[in-house]
């Protein structure tokens, strides 16, 4: 009985694997380590977000504040975590723009984000690990 089970196990593992067929959705073997189809829009979006990791960003919020910091992570609700964040207040008639306020690690709720700008890479920019 034990030999029959070993044989059945061996047969299951020796099934032909997908070798990159064009119809990746029909095959369970054409997925990356996170279970995504490599050429899907989700995989493309994930790759784009991964290229933005540890880059400096400027996030403008609905209340007029601007946060500048290092992009660390996001979630499905579009909340963003910035490291080494600084807050800049919008200048109004009652007061002038002042020095930035250092926040450190900051979570920006996705529903308060108006725009996100990514700083272009320069040779002298510090690298965050």
């Amino acid at each position: 009985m034990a030999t029959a089970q070993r044989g059945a196990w061996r047969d299951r593992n020796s099934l032909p694997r997908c070798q990159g067929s064009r119809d990746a959705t029909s095959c369970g073997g054409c997925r990356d380590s996170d279970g995504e189809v490599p050429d899907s829009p989700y995989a493309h979006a994930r790759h784009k977000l991964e290229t933005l990791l540890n880059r400096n960003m400027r996030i403008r919020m609905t209340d007029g504040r601007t946060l500048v910091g290092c992009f660390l992570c996001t979630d499905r609700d579009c909340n963003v975590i910035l490291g080494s964040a600084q807050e800049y207040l919008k200048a109004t008639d009652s007061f002038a723009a002042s020095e930035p306020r250092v926040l450190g690690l900051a979570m920006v709720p996705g529903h308060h984000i108006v725009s996100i700008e990514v700083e272009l890479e320069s040779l002298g920019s510090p690298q965050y690990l």
Side-chain angles (χ1 to χ4, degrees):
M1 197 70 150
T3 24
Q5 288 176 346
R6 261 186 255 147
W9 179 262
R10 198 174 304 127
D11 290 339
R12 241 184 320 211
N13 286 337
S14 65
L15 290 174
R17 298 271 182 209
C18 174
Q19 299 298 321
S21 67
R22 291 180 181 249
D23 185 19
T25 57
S26 66
C27 174
C30 291
R31 299 188 182 275
D32 65 6
S33 62
D34 295 320
E36 295 174 351
V37 177
D39 292 332
S40 72
Y42 298 110
H44 178 69
R46 179 186 179 104
H47 176 69
K48 180 64 176 172
L49 279 173
E50 287 174 351
T51 61
L52 296 176
L53 285 173
N54 297 322
R55 302 267 307 269
N56 284 331
M57 291 187 163
R58 176 185 299 140
I59 299 179
R60 298 189 196 282
M61 298 173 57
T62 55
D63 61 1
R65 291 180 294 163
T66 300
L67 297 179
V68 177
C70 178
F71 175 64
L72 297 179
C73 70
T74 186
D75 61 10
R76 291 176 190 249
D77 297 324
C78 298
N79 299 317
V80 174
I81 304 290
L82 293 178
S84 304
Q86 295 180 336
E87 175 186 48
Y88 295 86
L89 299 177
K90 186 176 182 180
T92 62
D93 295 336
S94 59
F95 67 94
S98 61
E99 291 291 317
R101 185 170 73 145
V102 177
L103 301 177
L105 194 63
M107 194 279 289
V108 185
H111 62 276
H112 288 298
I113 296 175
V114 173
S115 68
I116 297 177
E117 300 172 50
V118 180
E119 184 178 68
L120 294 175
E121 287 189 53
S122 62
L123 295 176
S125 66
Q127 296 296 317
Y128 297 96
L129 298 176

